[in-house]
Amino acid sequence: MPRPGETSLPATDASSASPHAVARWCAAQGWPVHPLAPGRKTPAANCRTCREQRHLPTACPCLPAGKPCHGFHAATMDARLIDSWWSTTPAAGVGVACGAADLVVIDIDAHSVEVPARSRLLPGIPIHESVDLEGLASGFDTLALLAALHQQTDPAHDENTLRVRTPSGGLHVWYRNPDPTLRYRCSTGSSSKVALAWQVDIRADGGYIVAPTTRTPAGAYTAEGAARLPAPLPAWLAQELLRTGHRADSRPTVPIQKAPDSPRGTGTTAATSSALRRLVDEVAACAATPEGAAFTEKLNKAAYTAGGLVAAGHADNAVVRQMLTEVANSARPWQSTRNERIINDALAAGYARPFHLKGRS
């Protein structure tokens, strides 16, 4: 049962809570929501116009018109839009825009992959050879190790905050950002540039998280324990995020969608859009060729250029990250995790070399 003062989810049984009810509940907590494709954990597909005419979300006419295009850029707390979207597609899952909701979610993975060298397990923290790592196999282990080094509670066992078990056996640990002036960026635990721990991803500004009770063919996202709301981000975790390079420069400029008559947001310039369009179109064209299209090279180049534009102040990080993610997952939907890793690494490299449209500094 929820603690006194908490607002309970519509139902703790994932089979009986409708996505519409969950979306309304999330919005009531102050979390902007957007539809996910029915039976999937990815955003609903863009409308035909947005699919055929690629553009940045800030230049999209669909968002002020109340259409759920461009994933978390469409996120809203407007009851009219929520009712309309989930009445049209009742089976759509629920995504929550993390940055706009002031959420920092620790995404713990348990993938069956080869364990890297101990120098990659906790970025920036050397693990002495005397430390026995026998049995270490997932993000649950690396996060527990990080918590133990700080003599703190392992977030996977933090019963004071909302925790959501994923169909793949992972765990989402939801926290509230207690200082909205301090922003955190997303990352993947496999990144060699910005990562908290191996197989531990961060969902924050420029990303979204799957709401509890959302269902996929593999199972449902199910809340664990008694807590149904996020607790404040623990101070030691906040310090670790800062240490590992997760601080974002500013609050995301992604517009939170209101009713259909809301004005359209602005931000990324036409020159920036033009500079990226050719590279992004090359990535998109790979969809027609499953193999041998140099997809990785093209995605890496587009993300590297985007990172340089962000560093030079010509583009919004959340906007270009979402654009790259959508295009990459459209061209190679079967390798979304790898796509995210390529994008994160190339963006991070681009951040170090600002691109001023007339050449890098």
Side-chain angles (χ1 to χ4, degrees), residues 9 12 162-165 212-213 221-225 227-228:
L9 280 164
T12 55
L162 173 62
R163 293 172 297 153
V164 179
R165 183 68 59 178
T213 75
Y221 288 77
T222 307
E224 279 199 352
R228 291 295 179 267

PDB file of all heavy atoms in Angstrom, residues 9 12 162-165 212-213 221-225 227-228:
ATOM      1  N   LEU A   9      -1.046   4.586  -7.856  1.00  0.00           N
ATOM      2  CA  LEU A   9      -1.299   4.306  -9.256  1.00  0.00           C
ATOM      3  C   LEU A   9      -2.737   3.836  -9.401  1.00  0.00           C
ATOM      4  O   LEU A   9      -3.349   3.331  -8.445  1.00  0.00           O
ATOM      5  CB  LEU A   9      -0.353   3.200  -9.742  1.00  0.00           C
ATOM      6  CG  LEU A   9       1.079   3.616 -10.087  1.00  0.00           C
ATOM      7  CD1 LEU A   9       1.958   2.384 -10.170  1.00  0.00           C
ATOM      8  CD2 LEU A   9       1.098   4.363 -11.403  1.00  0.00           C
ATOM      9  N   THR A  12      -2.265  -1.491  -9.046  1.00  0.00           N
ATOM     10  CA  THR A  12      -0.938  -2.082  -8.950  1.00  0.00           C
ATOM     11  C   THR A  12      -0.832  -3.299  -9.842  1.00  0.00           C
ATOM     12  O   THR A  12       0.255  -3.755 -10.143  1.00  0.00           O
ATOM     13  CB  THR A  12      -0.644  -2.490  -7.495  1.00  0.00           C
ATOM     14  OG1 THR A  12      -1.676  -3.361  -7.038  1.00  0.00           O
ATOM     15  CG2 THR A  12      -0.581  -1.279  -6.602  1.00  0.00           C
ATOM     16  N   LEU A 162      10.080   5.112  -6.037  1.00  0.00           N
ATOM     17  CA  LEU A 162       9.413   4.266  -7.029  1.00  0.00           C
ATOM     18  C   LEU A 162      10.446   3.450  -7.792  1.00  0.00           C
ATOM     19  O   LEU A 162      11.401   3.998  -8.346  1.00  0.00           O
ATOM     20  CB  LEU A 162       8.620   5.143  -8.007  1.00  0.00           C
ATOM     21  CG  LEU A 162       7.987   4.430  -9.216  1.00  0.00           C
ATOM     22  CD1 LEU A 162       6.955   3.393  -8.772  1.00  0.00           C
ATOM     23  CD2 LEU A 162       7.348   5.459 -10.158  1.00  0.00           C
ATOM     24  N   ARG A 163      10.248   2.138  -7.804  1.00  0.00           N
ATOM     25  CA  ARG A 163      11.091   1.234  -8.580  1.00  0.00           C
ATOM     26  C   ARG A 163      10.195   0.410  -9.494  1.00  0.00           C
ATOM     27  O   ARG A 163       9.128  -0.053  -9.076  1.00  0.00           O
ATOM     28  CB  ARG A 163      11.881   0.306  -7.659  1.00  0.00           C
ATOM     29  CG  ARG A 163      12.931   1.024  -6.798  1.00  0.00           C
ATOM     30  CD  ARG A 163      13.535   0.084  -5.777  1.00  0.00           C
ATOM     31  NE  ARG A 163      12.516  -0.386  -4.834  1.00  0.00           N
ATOM     32  CZ  ARG A 163      12.565  -1.541  -4.181  1.00  0.00           C
ATOM     33  NH1 ARG A 163      13.570  -2.373  -4.379  1.00  0.00           N
ATOM     34  NH2 ARG A 163      11.620  -1.870  -3.339  1.00  0.00           N
ATOM     35  N   VAL A 164      10.624   0.251 -10.733  1.00  0.00           N
ATOM     36  CA  VAL A 164       9.789  -0.426 -11.730  1.00  0.00           C
ATOM     37  C   VAL A 164      10.594  -1.547 -12.383  1.00  0.00           C
ATOM     38  O   VAL A 164      11.643  -1.301 -12.999  1.00  0.00           O
ATOM     39  CB  VAL A 164       9.295   0.564 -12.807  1.00  0.00           C
ATOM     40  CG1 VAL A 164       8.447  -0.173 -13.849  1.00  0.00           C
ATOM     41  CG2 VAL A 164       8.500   1.698 -12.167  1.00  0.00           C
ATOM     42  N   ARG A 165      10.111  -2.761 -12.242  1.00  0.00           N
ATOM     43  CA  ARG A 165      10.751  -3.921 -12.852  1.00  0.00           C
ATOM     44  C   ARG A 165      10.405  -3.972 -14.337  1.00  0.00           C
ATOM     45  O   ARG A 165       9.255  -3.794 -14.718  1.00  0.00           O
ATOM     46  CB  ARG A 165      10.282  -5.202 -12.171  1.00  0.00           C
ATOM     47  CG  ARG A 165      10.937  -6.489 -12.688  1.00  0.00           C
ATOM     48  CD  ARG A 165      12.404  -6.565 -12.335  1.00  0.00           C
ATOM     49  NE  ARG A 165      12.635  -6.514 -10.882  1.00  0.00           N
ATOM     50  CZ  ARG A 165      13.849  -6.611 -10.340  1.00  0.00           C
ATOM     51  NH1 ARG A 165      14.928  -6.751 -11.116  1.00  0.00           N
ATOM     52  NH2 ARG A 165      13.990  -6.546  -9.027  1.00  0.00           N
ATOM     53  N   PRO A 212       5.139   2.795 -15.344  1.00  0.00           N
ATOM     54  CA  PRO A 212       4.697   1.490 -14.834  1.00  0.00           C
ATOM     55  C   PRO A 212       3.333   1.126 -15.371  1.00  0.00           C
ATOM     56  O   PRO A 212       2.504   2.000 -15.638  1.00  0.00           O
ATOM     57  CB  PRO A 212       4.680   1.690 -13.312  1.00  0.00           C
ATOM     58  CG  PRO A 212       4.677   3.168 -13.105  1.00  0.00           C
ATOM     59  CD  PRO A 212       5.392   3.763 -14.267  1.00  0.00           C
ATOM     60  N   THR A 213       3.115  -0.168 -15.524  1.00  0.00           N
ATOM     61  CA  THR A 213       1.913  -0.830 -16.067  1.00  0.00           C
ATOM     62  C   THR A 213       1.911  -0.895 -17.585  1.00  0.00           C
ATOM     63  O   THR A 213       1.084  -1.613 -18.151  1.00  0.00           O
ATOM     64  CB  THR A 213       0.571  -0.208 -15.585  1.00  0.00           C
ATOM     65  OG1 THR A 213       0.344   1.026 -16.258  1.00  0.00           O
ATOM     66  CG2 THR A 213       0.540  -0.007 -14.084  1.00  0.00           C
ATOM     67  N   TYR A 221       5.780  -3.512 -17.331  1.00  0.00           N
ATOM     68  CA  TYR A 221       6.613  -2.727 -16.434  1.00  0.00           C
ATOM     69  C   TYR A 221       5.848  -2.614 -15.112  1.00  0.00           C
ATOM     70  O   TYR A 221       4.787  -1.992 -15.056  1.00  0.00           O
ATOM     71  CB  TYR A 221       6.887  -1.350 -17.031  1.00  0.00           C
ATOM     72  CG  TYR A 221       7.847  -1.396 -18.196  1.00  0.00           C
ATOM     73  CD1 TYR A 221       7.418  -1.831 -19.457  1.00  0.00           C
ATOM     74  CD2 TYR A 221       9.179  -1.019 -18.051  1.00  0.00           C
ATOM     75  CE1 TYR A 221       8.300  -1.886 -20.526  1.00  0.00           C
ATOM     76  CE2 TYR A 221      10.069  -1.068 -19.107  1.00  0.00           C
ATOM     77  CZ  TYR A 221       9.619  -1.509 -20.346  1.00  0.00           C
ATOM     78  OH  TYR A 221      10.490  -1.567 -21.404  1.00  0.00           O
ATOM     79  N   THR A 222       6.371  -3.240 -14.075  1.00  0.00           N
ATOM     80  CA  THR A 222       5.617  -3.431 -12.847  1.00  0.00           C
ATOM     81  C   THR A 222       6.287  -2.759 -11.657  1.00  0.00           C
ATOM     82  O   THR A 222       7.480  -2.970 -11.392  1.00  0.00           O
ATOM     83  CB  THR A 222       5.471  -4.940 -12.550  1.00  0.00           C
ATOM     84  OG1 THR A 222       4.922  -5.601 -13.702  1.00  0.00           O
ATOM     85  CG2 THR A 222       4.559  -5.159 -11.366  1.00  0.00           C
ATOM     86  N   ALA A 223       5.529  -1.935 -10.943  1.00  0.00           N
ATOM     87  CA  ALA A 223       6.058  -1.255  -9.764  1.00  0.00           C
ATOM     88  C   ALA A 223       6.390  -2.274  -8.680  1.00  0.00           C
ATOM     89  O   ALA A 223       5.636  -3.216  -8.443  1.00  0.00           O
ATOM     90  CB  ALA A 223       5.052  -0.236  -9.248  1.00  0.00           C
ATOM     91  N   GLU A 224       7.537  -2.080  -8.028  1.00  0.00           N
ATOM     92  CA  GLU A 224       7.968  -2.967  -6.950  1.00  0.00           C
ATOM     93  C   GLU A 224       7.892  -2.243  -5.613  1.00  0.00           C
ATOM     94  O   GLU A 224       8.104  -1.036  -5.530  1.00  0.00           O
ATOM     95  CB  GLU A 224       9.411  -3.434  -7.182  1.00  0.00           C
ATOM     96  CG  GLU A 224       9.548  -4.571  -8.150  1.00  0.00           C
ATOM     97  CD  GLU A 224      10.884  -5.289  -7.984  1.00  0.00           C
ATOM     98  OE1 GLU A 224      11.733  -4.805  -7.222  1.00  0.00           O
ATOM     99  OE2 GLU A 224      11.053  -6.341  -8.623  1.00  0.00           O
ATOM    100  N   GLY A 225       7.641  -3.002  -4.571  1.00  0.00           N
ATOM    101  CA  GLY A 225       7.629  -2.420  -3.238  1.00  0.00           C
ATOM    102  C   GLY A 225       6.417  -1.543  -3.007  1.00  0.00           C
ATOM    103  O   GLY A 225       5.435  -1.575  -3.755  1.00  0.00           O
ATOM    104  N   ALA A 227       6.493   2.038  -2.398  1.00  0.00           N
ATOM    105  CA  ALA A 227       6.580   3.425  -2.867  1.00  0.00           C
ATOM    106  C   ALA A 227       6.005   3.554  -4.268  1.00  0.00           C
ATOM    107  O   ALA A 227       6.262   2.711  -5.137  1.00  0.00           O
ATOM    108  CB  ALA A 227       8.017   3.906  -2.835  1.00  0.00           C
ATOM    109  N   ARG A 228       5.243   4.608  -4.487  1.00  0.00           N
ATOM    110  CA  ARG A 228       4.648   4.853  -5.798  1.00  0.00           C
ATOM    111  C   ARG A 228       5.025   6.224  -6.349  1.00  0.00           C
ATOM    112  O   ARG A 228       4.563   6.608  -7.414  1.00  0.00           O
ATOM    113  CB  ARG A 228       3.118   4.719  -5.728  1.00  0.00           C
ATOM    114  CG  ARG A 228       2.633   3.297  -5.492  1.00  0.00           C
ATOM    115  CD  ARG A 228       2.984   2.401  -6.677  1.00  0.00           C
ATOM    116  NE  ARG A 228       2.562   1.022  -6.494  1.00  0.00           N
ATOM    117  CZ  ARG A 228       3.331   0.062  -5.986  1.00  0.00           C
ATOM    118  NH1 ARG A 228       4.582   0.355  -5.594  1.00  0.00           N
ATOM    119  NH2 ARG A 228       2.881  -1.167  -5.864  1.00  0.00           N
TER     120      ARG A 228
END
